[in-house]
Amino acid sequence: MPLIGIIMGSSSDSRIMKDAAEILDKFKIKHEDQIISAHRTPTRLEEYAKHAEKMGFKIIIAGAGGAAHLPGMIASHTIIPVIGVPIMVYNDKQLKKSDNSKFSSFGGLDSLLSISEMPSGSSVVAVGINKAGNAGMYAIKILSNEFPELKKKLKLYKSDQHQTIVKESENLKKYGLRKFVEKKFK
Ligand code: RP5
């Protein structure tokens, strides 16, 4: 059974939200993924909250761009903790190929503020703009309180991170800054 519900306001958000799925898959945590629009499918949003409770989801990860009301609205319908992902909107469903103004006029800040500025007593946490991977990671951390095996895996993941940086630093020292950049990024 999936432990996490991933929802997003539009199919155009899926390219960002897939990062949450990627990290959950890496840790073998099942998730159910859906498109629910707070504005365009308001009744579906209410139904989804009931569905999430029935399914026993431990956490909901909700991503939306622009006037990003999805995370806050879903949180108002359930007590399941919600992690919001502000999305720097692509909006490319309506755009011609020649049009390059693909991003929100406010660079995702509109979405970040819509998600984080919840009224007192109604809480949603927000990760950084487009940081769906961090939402997945945070969900794993919460779950690890309940699942000791997961805690072990997380500790291993952290020590791998440490090793990677140490190795990179050794290479930086070995090659010098100019050569290191050439090797790594060109
Ligand atoms: C929001 O509007 C969605 O979350 C999406 O980020 C944005 C644009 O949606 P589309 O016009 O691409 O469907 O509700």
Side-chain angles (χ1 to χ4, degrees):
M1 289 295 275
L3 293 175
I4 303 213
I6 300 182
I7 52 174
M8 61 210 80
S10 164
S11 60
S12 61
D13 300 326
S14 60
R15 288 159 292 184
I16 300 296
M17 293 306 287
K18 77 163 183 2
D19 291 352
E22 247 165 47
I23 188 85
L24 292 174
D25 291 346
K26 193 178 163 88
F27 280 82
K28 297 195 173 19
I29 294 168
K30 286 199 177 134
H31 49 93
E32 187 211 78
D33 317 325
Q34 290 207 44
I35 297 169
I36 314 273
S37 170
H39 304 113
R40 294 175 281 197
T41 63
T43 49
R44 200 167 134 67
L45 177 120
E46 208 176 331
E47 282 158 19
Y48 177 80
K50 287 186 193 127
H51 164 74
E53 301 220 340
K54 206 165 145 202
M55 291 289 286
F57 292 160
K58 306 267 182 195
I59 297 148
I60 294 171
I61 298 176
H69 296 134
L70 180 66
M73 282 311 294
I74 203 72
S76 72
H77 283 292
T78 173
I79 55 162
I80 300 170
V82 176
I83 305 173
V85 182
I87 293 179
M88 192 157 77
V89 183
Y90 280 83
N91 259 326
D92 50 3
K93 287 206 294 204
Q94 288 126 27
L95 292 176
K96 294 187 196 93
K97 273 206 172 126
S98 54
D99 197 337
N100 61 5
S101 57
K102 281 183 176 176
F103 303 114
S104 115
S105 323
F106 302 98
L109 187 61
D110 41 357
S111 169
L112 174 65
L113 297 178
S114 303
I115 295 173
S116 63
E117 291 302 306
M118 288 289 285
S120 309
S122 266
S123 58
V124 165
V125 294
V127 292
I129 296 164
N130 284 353
K131 298 272 187 184
N134 270 359
M137 199 65 213
Y138 194 68
I140 294 167
K141 285 184 176 182
I142 298 173
L143 287 179
S144 76
N145 287 317
E146 210 175 314
F147 302 101
E149 274 307 306
L150 198 54
K151 195 168 259 179
K152 269 193 216 155
K153 278 194 200 170
L154 256 182
K155 287 193 173 158
L156 205 65
Y157 179 84
K158 246 185 140 22
S159 89
D160 282 353
Q161 261 183 345
H162 180 98
Q163 289 310 326
T164 305
I165 303 292
V166 170
K167 187 134 199 12
E168 282 185 327
S169 178
E170 277 167 4
N171 282 336
L172 179 62
K173 200 169 150 192
K174 181 169 151 196
Y175 295 114
L177 197 43
R178 251 180 344 102
K179 269 201 184 141
F180 178 82
V181 172
E182 260 172 40
K183 276 182 169 297
K184 198 167 169 63
F185 299 102
K186 281 178 189 161

